[in-house]
Amino acid sequence: MRQFILKTHSRCNLACTYCYLYAGPDHGWRDRPRQPTEGVVRRTAERIAEHAAAHGLREVAVVLHGGEPLLAGAERLAADVELVRRTVPATVHAVVQTNATLLTADAVRTLAAARIGVGVSLDGGRAAHNAARVDHAGRPGWPAASAGLRLLARTAPEAYAGVLSVVDLRYDPVEVYESLLDFAPPAIDLLLPHGNWSAPPPGLPAPPGDPAPYGRWLTAVFDRWWQADRRRTRVRLFEECVALLLGVPAAIERLGLQPFTAVVVETDGSIEQVDSLKSAYEGAAATGTDVFRHSFDDVLAHPGVAARQAGLAALGPACRACALVTVCGGGHYAHRYLAGEGFRNPSVYCADLAFLIRHIGARLAAAAGAGSGGHAPRETVR
């Protein structure tokens, strides 16, 4: 394990209509405390230290998550990270993923001083793009979120980790991308809505004549990003796809065959797989372990975790036989689920991923053929 996702608050001040955690099939959050005790945080830090020492890890990532983690307060987050850093014999890279509605000047200063990066969830740079992101009274979260994000970008660019956006087919892809550029993000992460074969995402099954609507949406953004004279931001999905096509291992769970190395510690100390699995069924992310009785090595032995570590062997016959498997990797694990069959299926986004990968491959081939006169951005893809 190299990425430790710590739940700092199990509730959220928004009630996004598409939220897979609070509006999905898993309701385990209802039975958990709102915040972890100091004992949970301390024991978690000790378990991370134990794991880092056992495996000779020089660096680990700690992601502060929720719910909305800032409901715990920026000072509490800073204190938790300081405790982890004092305990773990490795460099600890910390980031908080927030909806930005609680980002005040004091909060930004506190997080920046604690060397905690700030990632913001925003589905586009216009109010309309974020219509699903409302509070519990149905009021839009956009005014506070956009103000918080602008404050972060203006006053603490060194702490600005980037923007995470969920793809929405209802909106023009290039317009969404360009609207996000107005917030000067150092990176953008485009996520496909969580869904699976038993509970398909919006727009799937694909309508006749448009077999890959999400692939088409993403390729429109890719072309805008790829053909620009100057790259104004990184787009993680595209960079990792390019890297895989060039034979470099990917670092994200949505592509490639690299073992997945993230784990979640809930507010009660329970250790779980990543939250995205909760979009499949009740208890899908559970491991039956906790930081008080189990090490993270114990978690590695859990069958669900072991499957995420198995690479090609974890995929079904259709994926293993596919020419794109080393790039696609079967897609996001949660998106492969089918009730009664489990996760050994192609992704529900199989056609979309194939469309995107082939499109990017064609652009790479054209750029290589054109030499330095191709349309690749001038900066080197990292």
Side-chain angles (χ1 to χ4, degrees):
M1 299 298 184
R2 296 177 184 273
Q3 183 183 94
F4 302 88
I5 301 167
L6 310 186
K7 291 299 190 74
T8 63
H9 208 287
S10 65
R11 305 297 191 269
C12 189
N13 61 329
L14 294 185
C16 303
T17 58
Y18 61 75
C19 182
Y20 64 90
L21 185 58
Y22 298 111
D26 192 303
H27 302 103
W29 60 272
R30 298 179 185 273
D31 300 322
R32 291 201 165 97
R34 291 177 180 268
Q35 293 181 239
T37 64
E38 184 179 345
V40 168
V41 177
R42 185 174 301 279
R43 192 60 179 142
T44 299
E46 291 168 352
R47 288 299 191 188
I48 296 173
E50 173 187 66
H51 196 72
H55 294 276
L57 301 179
R58 296 183 178 182
E59 298 179 307
V60 297
V62 170
V63 182
L64 308 176
H65 221 283
E68 171 46 51
L70 280 172
L71 285 172
E75 291 186 358
R76 169 66 188 271
L77 301 186
D80 288 350
V81 169
E82 176 58 26
L83 174 58
V84 174
R85 285 184 171 137
R86 287 199 312 267
T87 308
V88 176
T91 299
V92 175
H93 302 285
V95 65
V96 58
Q97 188 65 37
T98 174
N99 60 36
T101 59
L102 302 177
L103 278 179
T104 63
D106 285 344
V108 169
R109 278 194 296 269
T110 298
L111 295 170
R115 293 178 291 120
I116 299 174
V118 182
V120 173
S121 299
L122 201 72
D123 292 340
R126 307 272 190 274
H129 300 155
N130 296 274
R133 302 181 67 81
V134 296
D135 69 12
H136 293 271
R139 296 169 298 200
W142 166 257
S146 58
L149 182 50
R150 292 193 188 282
L151 175 69
L152 172 67
R154 184 177 69 252
T155 63
E158 74 281 5
Y160 190 3
V163 173
L164 181 154
S165 292
V166 177
V167 172
D168 191 326
L169 295 177
R170 295 174 298 174
Y171 302 115
D172 180 84
V174 174
E175 177 189 303
V176 169
Y177 172 71
E178 291 182 342
S179 70
L180 288 172
L181 293 180
D182 290 342
F183 290 94
I188 295 174
D189 210 357
L190 297 172
L191 304 183
L192 294 170
H194 287 312
N196 53 64
W197 293 104
S198 295
L204 295 183
D210 188 10
Y214 285 93
R216 184 169 48 80
W217 197 100
L218 288 168
T219 56
V221 180
F222 176 83
D223 285 345
R224 169 66 178 79
W225 174 79
W226 182 254
Q227 294 169 356
D229 291 334
R230 180 179 64 87
R231 178 182 298 166
R232 295 175 58 187
T233 188
R234 302 180 64 185
V235 180
R236 191 179 181 200
L237 175 64
F238 300 156
E239 290 192 349
E240 296 299 340
C241 188
V242 168
L244 283 162
L245 285 164
L246 296 176
V248 180
I252 59 176
E253 65 174 320
R254 292 165 287 159
L255 294 174
L257 293 170
Q258 288 291 100
F260 187 57
T261 58
V263 66
V264 177
V265 179
E266 291 283 354
T267 54
D268 61 356
S270 298
I271 304 173
E272 295 201 337
Q273 301 181 70
V274 290
D275 281 349
S276 55
L277 289 179
K278 296 178 181 180
S279 64
Y281 58 89
E282 180 89 45
T287 66
T289 61
D290 62 73
V291 294
F292 296 102
R293 299 175 299 152
H294 304 92
S295 70
F296 287 116
D297 273 8
D298 292 332
V299 180
L300 286 171
H302 183 274
V305 176
R308 305 293 299 276
Q309 299 272 332
L312 188 65
L315 301 179
C319 289
R320 291 200 302 271
C322 180
L324 302 179
V325 67
T326 57
V327 180
C328 170
H332 197 299
Y333 193 77
H335 300 166
R336 306 175 199 168
Y337 178 72
L338 174 63
E341 293 189 16
F343 295 91
R344 288 178 64 85
N345 305 291
S347 168
V348 72
Y349 291 107
C350 180
D352 300 282
L353 292 172
F355 187 94
L356 175 66
I357 292 166
R358 290 192 172 102
H359 182 89
I360 294 178
R363 292 291 183 266
L364 271 177
S372 61
H375 287 295
R378 293 172 186 169
E379 295 89 345
T380 302
V381 172
R382 296 186 292 274

